[in-house]
Amino acid sequence: MTAKTRNILFQTLIALSLVGAAATLIPWSAALVTNDLGYKSLCPFAPWSSLALVGLAGLLAVTKSYISSQVD
């Protein structure tokens, strides 16, 4: 795998994680369960799922920078 392909892959995964984190907080009136923030959202596990996805994005960013520093 080339460095450019690896960087694009990591950037895509980071972006998807952050978009997913934001999506879990979107209000959704059809939800059956109220989340811990006190409203009905797309994900009933918000804000914990959002925090987990932001943490995953951070872990991916650290891994990307570590691999880039070792290979390049």
Side-chain angles (χ1 to χ4, degrees):
M1 179 180 297
T2 66
K4 183 178 180 181
T5 304
R6 184 182 62 242
N7 286 337
I8 290 172
L9 178 64
F10 271 109
Q11 289 174 349
T12 302
L13 291 173
I14 291 167
L16 287 173
S17 296
L18 293 175
V19 167
T24 62
L25 297 173
I26 295 173
W28 191 37
S29 60
L32 300 175
V33 179
T34 303
N35 65 23
D36 286 347
L37 295 174
Y39 67 95
K40 294 181 179 184
S41 64
L42 193 58
C43 179
F45 303 110
W48 310 115
S49 56
S50 300
L51 292 172
L53 286 167
V54 168
L56 176 63
L59 181 65
L60 287 168
V62 168
T63 304
K64 175 182 174 269
S65 68
Y66 175 75
I67 291 173
S68 294
S69 70
Q70 296 296 315
V71 175
D72 296 337

